Amino acid sequence: MKQLNKYLLVGMSFLLLFLLGCQSQYITAGKIYIEQDNYDEAIKQFKLAVEAEPQNPETHFWLGKAYAYKKQYEEACKNTEKAFSLDPKMIENAKKDQRFNYSIIFYMAGRKHVENKEYDLAVKRIKRSIDLDPKNSASMNLLGFCYIKLEKEDEAEGIYKTAIELVPDNIDTYINFSDFYRMKEKYKEEEGVLRKAKKIIEDPAWFKGADEKVIKNRKKQAAEVYVAFGNNLLKQEKSEEAVKVLTKAIELVPDDKDVNFNYGVALFDLKKYADAIIAFKKVVLLDSSDAEGFNYLGASYIKVEKYNEAIEAFTKVIEIDPENCDAYINRAFAYRELGDTESAYNDAKIGTECKKKKENK
């Protein structure tokens, strides 16, 4: 009976259309089709409304909304912008609308342009997204990315700073901002950003009251901060602190290959070779094709004078990457230490010729 009443109501609504003006008829019909999730028909009706009254902002506004429901975000933005140009007051109305997030529509259109590497067009859409919601962290981060791609470094730095000022607890912004400084090789500035992020993730209040899904996501974000911070400290040759930071990352994501690799590098730099071996063994266990992991594992074995194990590790490197010149030379060293001069000579010869060949390219 309830379903029948619904269709009777729809039928009566269409009957009323004939009593209304042309433009109002099309808009009313379009709204009904939206209620029925029939977005194609809604778009047709709103297009007729635009043809009937092209200077009426409502027609463009509703056409934009129908495209948004259809997930055709660029068309949605074009029509919404037309409505804004005809009546700037509609911008404020869109900001206040609690039922429909116009900022997200422009963000989605911008993201599509980013996927197509159309960064100038993306900037235009993302700026409007931020205009509609000044605290939209996702839009500010995407805008920063676009500025980097367009080599507008001052603008990129500025939008990241603004994002942190307006939404100081958004970890993604800190990670993206630190990446920006890392690419510029401004490691001190990168460290400063990551220390602020570290302070947030280590505050018990950051996890307090969050549901299981949010906690899981925040643990992942925390691990990203620790990894980025650990890498930063390694670049500044602060290996001891890097180990402490990366240990926290491993506690959060124990099976992450990159975290274990960077942890191993930090331990190697601190000459804690036995501990480094454990880390690099975990790396190659997680990824048996990681040549660099086997290379560091072999180097660590040499440091503790386990030459047979070192030979096995360097042999794996050569199997994975036959043009890894250093692996032959390192294996030659291990053979020599075991007294196998013939194998040492052969490997040393191959490694030296390999390096000469690469130098002459």
Side-chain angles (χ1 to χ4, degrees), residues 325-333 335-336 341-356:
C325 310
D326 289 331
Y328 289 101
I329 293 170
N330 289 333
R331 191 170 67 173
F333 177 84
Y335 275 130
R336 191 193 70 183
T341 54
E342 183 179 353
S343 296
Y345 174 79
N346 290 335
D347 268 0
K349 183 180 178 182
I350 294 170
T352 303
E353 289 175 353
C354 172
K355 282 183 173 291
K356 286 180 180 178

Side-chain angles (χ1 to χ4, degrees), residues 8-19:
L8 283 172
L9 182 61
V10 171
M12 290 174 65
S13 298
F14 275 111
L15 184 63
L16 288 172
L17 298 180
F18 295 101
L19 305 175

Side-chain angles (χ1 to χ4, degrees), residues 58-239:
E58 286 288 334
T59 62
H60 298 281
F61 195 71
W62 276 101
L63 180 55
K65 185 175 278 192
Y67 275 123
Y69 279 119
K70 185 76 174 167
K71 296 183 179 180
Q72 294 181 12
Y73 298 117
E74 181 56 28
E75 288 300 317
C77 291
K78 286 178 182 176
N79 284 280
T80 306
E81 284 289 8
K82 181 64 177 177
F84 289 165
S85 68
L86 290 170
D87 183 4
K89 291 180 181 178
M90 296 191 84
I91 299 173
E92 291 305 314
N93 292 336
K95 290 179 182 180
K96 295 173 184 176
D97 194 338
Q98 299 295 316
R99 297 166 298 175
F100 198 85
N101 193 329
Y102 293 93
S103 177
I104 291 296
I105 304 306
F106 282 89
Y107 166 78
M108 294 301 293
R111 198 167 77 171
K112 186 65 178 178
H113 285 306
V114 168
E115 289 173 7
N116 295 331
K117 299 182 179 180
E118 300 164 343
Y119 301 115
D120 283 314
L121 293 173
V123 166
K124 183 180 179 182
R125 295 302 180 217
I126 299 163
K127 279 186 172 181
R128 175 62 81 185
S129 173
I130 295 169
D131 177 44
L132 293 167
D133 180 4
K135 291 188 176 182
N136 188 329
S137 296
S139 290
M140 286 186 278
N141 277 291
L142 192 59
L143 183 57
F145 176 81
C146 290
Y147 281 143
I148 290 169
K149 289 295 182 180
L150 292 168
E151 298 182 1
K152 295 183 177 182
E153 293 168 2
D154 290 342
E155 288 89 339
E157 186 174 23
I159 194 65
Y160 285 132
K161 286 181 177 179
T162 299
I164 288 173
E165 182 181 340
L166 293 175
V167 192
D169 61 347
N170 187 282
I171 295 301
D172 287 337
T173 305
Y174 291 94
I175 292 170
N176 292 331
F177 197 12
S178 69
D179 284 345
F180 167 76
Y181 280 133
R182 177 180 52 77
M183 287 186 289
K184 298 296 297 175
E185 297 184 357
K186 293 184 175 181
Y187 300 126
K188 279 291 180 185
E189 289 84 348
E190 180 192 8
E191 181 183 348
V193 171
L194 290 168
R195 285 195 183 278
K196 290 178 182 177
K198 182 173 176 285
K199 187 176 180 180
I200 293 169
I201 64 174
E202 291 181 349
D203 185 346
W206 196 55
F207 289 99
K208 192 175 181 180
D211 61 34
E212 188 177 338
K213 186 177 179 181
V214 171
I215 289 173
K216 184 178 179 181
N217 184 57
R218 289 187 176 178
K219 281 185 177 181
K220 184 179 177 182
Q221 287 182 314
E224 287 181 36
V225 171
Y226 286 132
V227 169
F229 194 20
N231 291 344
N232 170 269
L233 293 167
L234 285 174
K235 286 186 178 73
Q236 297 186 78
E237 298 181 356
K238 299 179 180 180
S239 300

